[in-house]
Amino acid sequence: MSYSEFGFTEYLRSILAIATFFLIFLLFTPVILILLLISFGKASNFVVEKIAPVMVRPVMWVSGISFSVKMHADEIHSPAVFIINHSSTLDVLTLLALGLPKIRFVAKWEFQYNPIFLILGRLTGQIFIKREKSEKAIETLKKTHHRIKSDQLSVMMAPEGSRKHPGVIGPFKKGPFRMAMDLEYPIVPIYFEGNRELSKGGTLITKSGQVTAHIHEAIDVSDWTVDNLNEHIKEVRNRYLEWAGVQNDEVRPIS
């Protein structure tokens, strides 16, 4: 998606949205820091569940984006390993807008280059991994298992690893599925409809429109094994292909 695809109004709206994004983060950061310090970090869940959605909703409103959640399950299973389709910078906003209970995000290491994200991410217990080093990433995830399990936290991950991937739904890495098996958590698929169509670039330059987060039924992994893992990953990815209206393209899982 090139900038030439945007009209002047949408381009201007996106610039205002980016300014709103950074302004809100600058204003809320001291409040969040104080809240975390006086609570000795125990307010992390409140920050992610209640404050984060309040912070990003105005940004989407300025962008002309209408965001909604559609439940395809009776309730949101928690704790769980939540997974999403990742193809747009808008995913950052829609993830935070969900306000899922006791959630921690697995994010790329480079997010920490922004001092605000570094401070808030570390203080709220988010997980940063080096995606290009698969074994190192898995090792980092394993080190967090005890904290996640003991605190009954949920985890949010993107099986595609990066928004830059071939096709509408890229190859799935094994990390999220291995983590679900190790934690003995179910997997809850979330499909973002509209993010990719509104913004395919690496910035928040976006078209106005509708984005819907489809939260699906939890997937039990209690009978998954190392031997049948690839087949199960393929089945989950096929669901995403179906939701995206794409035929099965037989892409193998990535270690």
Side-chain angles (χ1 to χ4, degrees):
M1 180 179 292
S2 64
Y3 292 165
S4 61
E5 296 181 44
F6 296 91
F8 176 76
T9 301
E10 289 183 323
Y11 187 80
L12 179 60
R13 184 189 291 123
S14 296
I15 296 299
L16 290 174
I18 293 170
T20 302
F21 177 81
F22 285 105
L23 177 61
I24 289 175
F25 263 83
L26 287 173
L27 292 175
F28 270 85
T29 296
V31 176
I32 294 173
L33 290 178
I34 292 172
L35 186 60
L36 291 171
L37 289 173
I38 63 176
S39 69
F40 297 98
K42 294 182 179 180
S44 295
N45 291 330
F46 178 78
V47 170
V48 177
E49 294 173 34
K50 305 299 182 183
I51 297 181
V54 172
M55 293 172 65
V56 300
R57 291 281 183 161
V59 180
M60 290 192 284
W61 180 80
V62 173
S63 298
I65 294 173
S66 176
F67 178 72
S68 63
V69 177
K70 184 173 182 179
M71 292 292 300
H72 299 267
D74 293 334
E75 61 181 0
I76 297 177
H77 198 291
S78 180
V81 173
F82 292 87
I83 60 173
I84 64 160
N85 54 311
H86 188 24
S87 59
S88 171
T89 306
L90 282 179
D91 297 344
V92 175
L93 299 183
T94 50
L95 280 175
L96 294 174
L98 286 172
L100 293 171
K102 301 182 73 173
I103 194 77
R104 295 297 181 271
F105 303 102
V106 177
K108 62 181 181 180
W109 187 266
E110 290 79 4
F111 266 127
Q112 298 178 104
Y113 296 159
N114 183 305
I116 294 178
F117 292 161
L118 170 63
I119 295 172
L120 293 181
R122 288 297 181 177
L123 287 178
T124 55
Q126 309 311 318
I127 305 165
F128 297 96
I129 62 172
K130 296 181 178 180
R131 299 178 309 188
E132 69 280 2
K133 299 179 180 180
S134 298
E135 292 303 320
K136 186 71 174 178
I138 292 174
E139 181 182 337
T140 300
L141 292 175
K142 286 183 176 179
K143 289 179 180 178
T144 67
H145 285 184
H146 177 72
R147 173 172 65 91
I148 292 168
K149 190 78 171 181
S150 61
D151 293 341
Q152 289 291 284
L153 301 174
S154 291
V155 182
M156 175 71 75
M157 303 182 71
E160 294 157 296
S162 169
R163 61 178 175 77
K164 297 178 180 179
H165 52 71
V168 177
I169 304 294
F172 275 12
K173 298 178 182 292
K174 295 179 181 178
F177 307 96
R178 288 181 180 178
M179 193 168 197
M181 293 168 62
D182 291 341
L183 292 170
E184 298 179 330
Y185 280 5
I187 292 171
V188 176
I190 298 178
Y191 176 70
F192 286 132
E193 178 186 11
N195 285 14
R196 184 175 185 272
E197 289 74 18
L198 298 184
S199 178
K200 297 180 184 177
T203 70
L204 288 178
I205 300 297
T206 178
K207 295 180 178 180
S208 59
Q210 174 71 40
V211 169
T212 303
H214 296 269
I215 302 180
H216 292 271
E217 289 277 2
I219 301 171
D220 181 19
V221 303
S222 59
D223 63 345
W224 289 21
T225 66
V226 174
D227 292 334
N228 63 28
L229 180 58
N230 282 353
E231 189 62 32
H232 285 299
I233 294 176
K234 178 181 176 181
E235 291 172 358
V236 175
R237 183 172 178 272
N238 282 342
R239 296 190 189 189
Y240 276 88
L241 290 169
E242 181 181 344
W243 297 330
V246 178
Q247 293 183 349
N248 187 351
D249 58 359
E250 295 294 332
V251 175
R252 295 176 60 82
I254 301 175
S255 299

